[in-house]
Amino acid sequence: MSSSPVPPSRPFDPASSAASLAHRVPDLGALQLLLAVARLGSLGRAARELGITQPAASSRVRAMERQLGVALVDRSPRGSRLTDAGALVTDWAGRIVEAAEAFDAGAQALRDRRDSRLRVAASMTIAEYLLPGWLIALRTQRPDTAVSLLAGNSAAVASRLLAGEADLGFVEGLTVPGGLDEVVIAHDRLVVVAAPSHPWARRDKPLDPAELAATPLILREEGSGTRQVLDAALGGLARPLIELSSTTAVKASAVSGAGPSVLSELAVGEELAARRLVEIPLRDMRLRRELRAVWPTGHRPAGPGRDLLSLTRGGTGTRGA
């Protein structure tokens, strides 16, 4: 005697189960309405408490009854009374709503913790000449957010973001490493500068790019955005006259007459206006670069990071393209 083959069992599919559960279980709004009817004994009063019309409340109760396949509320001129099934469903609904409230409170705690601090990493020029204004504006919007700033070159900023040591970064380099998303927030111009006593300050013709490339300059360290852009534009640089780790130090050395340098226009505006430095025109070349905001791929800034990003794109410190 042969037996009928047993059909193979279907593997459990969490995604399919979750989707079907969403169709079988009433939403939170419907469950809250049912709880209000149980507490107030009136569909009309429950509707008013929840800020909806009575017809809308009636429609929602009928839809819930169709979804569950049982009658939940007996309606009469004296009010609304739960059926036996309705009382049981209301008990379950209370547990679901309590769990949802706990979920919401936990999510809010996570948001509060996220919004209580913002870790920013920025390359030196942006950190010194643009971020202070942006952070003052952010302070007005979010007075309770503590902001920490880590300043370094563009390569260091990228490393901090990839290591999870910063939430949002700002860089000046030509490219952004893999693992980071980016958006251009401003444009900047690099200028060749020297002290008024330097021979270049007395030239009557623009400086040839080849001569600039062959001249030892006061430069930032390797990995800085300024040096990356300059090196790429000139096709290589002579060995630096002096190599320093901050824009302020490079500028001070140039002002002292130690030698020429190439710096952001943002950094030398006051010195050029006061004639402590002189801009040296370049022949047939403009040194421009993009300033970018960067963050780990797939983690676009939220909360205070999103607000700071919005402030940077609002025109503050932005140079025309």
Side-chain angles (χ1 to χ4, degrees):
M1 179 177 177
S2 62
S3 59
S4 300
V6 178
S9 60
R10 298 176 63 183
F12 175 69
D13 183 350
S16 174
S17 177
S20 60
L21 187 64
H23 287 95
R24 296 197 307 270
V25 176
D27 62 41
L28 284 173
L31 296 179
Q32 287 178 307
L33 173 62
L34 187 62
L35 290 169
V37 171
R39 187 176 69 256
L40 299 172
S42 165
L43 190 61
R45 286 198 292 272
R48 285 193 295 275
E49 180 177 273
L50 297 178
I52 59 177
T53 64
Q54 183 164 342
S58 297
S59 177
R60 185 170 291 185
V61 169
R62 285 194 297 271
M64 187 166 31
E65 291 175 329
R66 287 194 301 270
Q67 186 178 26
L68 297 177
V70 295
L72 301 174
V73 178
D74 283 333
R75 305 162 188 81
S76 72
R78 296 186 300 276
S80 300
R81 182 182 64 83
L82 296 180
T83 64
D84 290 343
L88 187 58
V89 170
T90 299
D91 183 50
W92 299 336
R95 300 177 205 173
I96 295 173
V97 171
E98 285 178 6
E101 289 171 344
F103 181 94
D104 180 57
Q108 182 60 51
L110 289 175
R111 289 191 295 270
D112 290 343
R113 186 170 69 180
R114 177 203 67 193
D115 294 352
S116 68
R117 67 167 187 170
L118 175 63
R119 301 170 301 167
V120 180
S123 53
M124 298 302 297
T125 300
I126 296 176
E128 291 179 308
Y129 300 101
L130 292 178
L131 258 174
W134 297 337
L135 293 180
I136 289 172
L138 180 67
R139 179 75 175 174
T140 301
Q141 293 184 11
R142 290 185 174 266
D144 296 329
T145 298
V147 180
S148 60
L149 173 60
L150 303 167
N153 62 37
S154 294
V157 170
S159 295
R160 288 187 183 278
L161 286 166
L162 293 172
E165 297 171 359
D167 306 306
L168 178 62
F170 298 96
V171 296
E172 309 154 13
L174 288 172
T175 60
V176 171
L180 297 179
D181 288 339
E182 63 170 286
V183 64
V184 175
I185 57 169
H187 293 81
D188 185 28
R189 186 171 73 97
L190 300 180
V191 293
V192 182
V193 293
S197 59
H198 192 276
W200 282 3
R202 298 187 292 274
R203 355 176 9 116
D204 55 6
K205 294 181 180 179
L207 181 66
D208 189 84
E211 183 179 355
L212 177 63
T215 301
L217 303 170
I218 305 171
L219 293 174
R220 287 281 309 283
E221 79 287 0
E222 290 187 5
S224 76
T226 301
R227 187 157 170 178
Q228 289 176 16
V229 172
L230 184 61
D231 192 12
L234 297 177
L237 295 169
R239 184 176 179 179
L241 176 66
I242 307 173
E243 192 175 74
L244 299 166
S245 61
S246 80
T247 301
T248 300
V250 171
K251 182 170 60 173
S253 296
V255 169
S256 74
S261 185
V262 178
L263 289 164
S264 165
E265 186 177 32
L266 294 168
V268 296
E270 291 184 9
E271 286 74 18
L272 292 175
R275 294 287 297 176
R276 292 194 295 273
L277 288 174
V278 177
E279 179 178 351
I280 313 302
L282 267 178
R283 178 181 295 117
D284 301 325
M285 176 177 282
R286 297 188 72 192
L287 297 172
R288 301 187 69 81
R289 62 180 176 179
E290 294 177 330
L291 307 182
R292 297 178 176 91
V294 290
W295 57 87
T297 298
H299 297 277
R300 189 172 182 86
R306 178 193 59 230
D307 292 347
L308 178 58
L309 183 58
S310 177
L311 288 168
T312 68
R313 305 187 72 186
T316 307
T318 302
R319 301 282 168 173

